[in-house]
Amino acid sequence: MVELYEDERLDYLFNEELRIIQSPSVFSFSLDAVLLAHFAYMPIQKGQIVDLCTGNGVIPLLLSRRTKGTIIGIEIQERLCDMARRSVQYNGLEGQIEIIHGDIKEAPQRIGYSRYDVVTCNPPYFPAVGKDELSKNEHIAIARHEIYCTLEDVIRVSSQLLKQGGKAAFVHRPGRLLDLVTLMRQYRLEPKRLRFVYPKEGKEANMILIEGTKDASPDLKVLPPLVVYDENNEYTEETKRILYGIISS
């Protein structure tokens, strides 16, 4: 058993095969991380994967059920990094998942350039703002706002880590779509798959999932939309399959 600190709790991931350490005052994962873990291409038998801004390690944990490859999670917040490492230990995944405490901007120098098959990232969504506008919770402020890394940092580092033909997958807000596409092309990550996520039928999209391939030729596929809730405010059948079923590509 791993030790839990302060207000930490040990939660089941949705299919109850894995458990994860969470804390309401520090960090709890949300739907966007789960959707990204489902959306991203994964090599099944072998490969090297990196998850940037890994938080409490939810994406590496979920990806471990989709691939036998090795997974590195990188997180700048020491407390979250410790939570992620203890979750990896609890699930007996030390041989597959490594959690590194550090700045993603230093990742290529630390773990190697042009070595990886897949990079995933659920980055901070919002530009840095004045101190008065940030959450008083430092952990939440860093997770939500571009305090330690910008969207350009995320995409540049992803490209530096990937081998030619490697894939990078991101989740973000629809309002940043043009920024994403522009930066991905600037850093040689050609957008290849795009999916819009809608909270309900008839509502505006509130998330996008996008994947690019390093040094690929242009050919963007826009996938069918994902609607999260039905008219009764319950998860749609597809959302249920993603959350509770076997995660597959």
Side-chain angles (χ1 to χ4, degrees):
M1 290 291 293
V2 297
E3 186 176 356
L4 299 180
Y5 306 131
E6 299 176 10
D7 62 350
E8 291 179 350
R9 63 181 188 264
L10 195 58
D11 288 346
Y12 282 104
L13 288 178
F14 296 103
N15 59 14
E16 299 193 0
E17 292 181 4
L18 298 166
R19 298 189 76 177
I20 186 169
I21 296 170
Q22 304 219 89
S23 163
S25 64
V26 178
F27 187 88
S28 295
F29 72 85
S30 53
L31 180 64
D32 48 4
V34 183
L35 296 182
L36 178 61
H38 177 269
F39 172 79
Y41 161 82
M42 278 295 119
I44 297 173
Q45 293 299 325
K46 60 181 180 179
Q48 297 187 85
I49 300 106
V50 179
D51 182 51
L52 302 175
C53 307
T54 203
N56 65 345
V58 61
I59 290 177
L61 289 173
L62 290 170
L63 294 181
S64 73
R65 290 300 181 257
R66 294 190 53 204
T67 179
K68 295 179 181 177
T70 59
I71 306 166
I72 296 173
I74 300 177
E75 171 56 47
I76 198 167
Q77 297 193 63
E78 189 169 4
R79 174 76 190 277
L80 288 177
C81 188
D82 178 61
M83 291 168 66
R85 284 173 175 159
R86 284 182 285 129
S87 291
V88 169
Q89 179 185 356
Y90 179 88
N91 290 285
L93 293 169
E94 302 97 317
Q96 184 180 17
I97 300 174
E98 178 185 4
I99 304 295
I100 294 176
H101 175 229
D103 189 328
I104 69 161
K105 297 189 291 293
E106 299 170 358
Q109 294 94 324
R110 290 187 65 177
I111 65 174
Y113 289 85
S114 306
R115 291 185 53 187
Y116 297 91
D117 300 286
V118 181
V119 174
T120 58
C121 187
N122 178 9
Y125 285 163
F126 306 108
V129 293
K131 289 184 179 179
D132 293 341
E133 298 177 68
L134 290 173
S135 169
K136 293 181 180 179
N137 184 314
E138 178 187 13
H139 301 288
I140 294 173
I142 291 170
R144 289 179 177 173
H145 293 270
E146 295 178 337
I147 296 171
Y148 286 118
C149 69
T150 64
L151 182 58
E152 182 169 2
D153 292 330
V154 166
I155 293 174
R156 183 187 66 253
V157 169
S158 297
S159 180
Q160 290 172 337
L161 291 170
L162 286 171
K163 61 179 66 171
Q164 190 171 23
K167 299 179 187 296
F170 310 106
V171 59
H172 218 293
R173 296 294 179 96
R176 302 297 299 275
L177 175 58
L178 293 182
D179 294 334
L180 276 159
V181 170
T182 299
L183 288 167
M184 288 172 74
R185 284 190 151 176
Q186 178 181 338
Y187 289 102
R188 300 163 53 198
L189 298 177
E190 183 61 32
K192 302 292 281 186
R193 293 196 300 139
L194 173 66
R195 192 172 199 191
F196 291 88
V197 181
Y198 297 81
K200 294 183 75 173
E201 289 277 4
K203 298 290 186 180
E204 292 184 358
N206 63 351
M207 267 187 275
I208 52 173
L209 297 158
I210 189 166
E211 184 177 78
T213 302
K214 188 171 180 179
D215 294 329
S217 57
D219 182 24
L220 176 64
K221 291 180 172 59
V222 180
L223 305 179
L226 171 61
V227 179
V228 176
Y229 294 101
D230 63 20
E231 63 275 9
N232 299 315
N233 293 318
E234 297 179 351
Y235 285 134
T236 60
E237 289 303 311
E238 182 175 11
T239 307
K240 288 178 184 176
R241 288 195 298 271
I242 292 171
L243 295 180
Y244 305 115
I246 299 172
I247 297 178
S248 59
S249 55

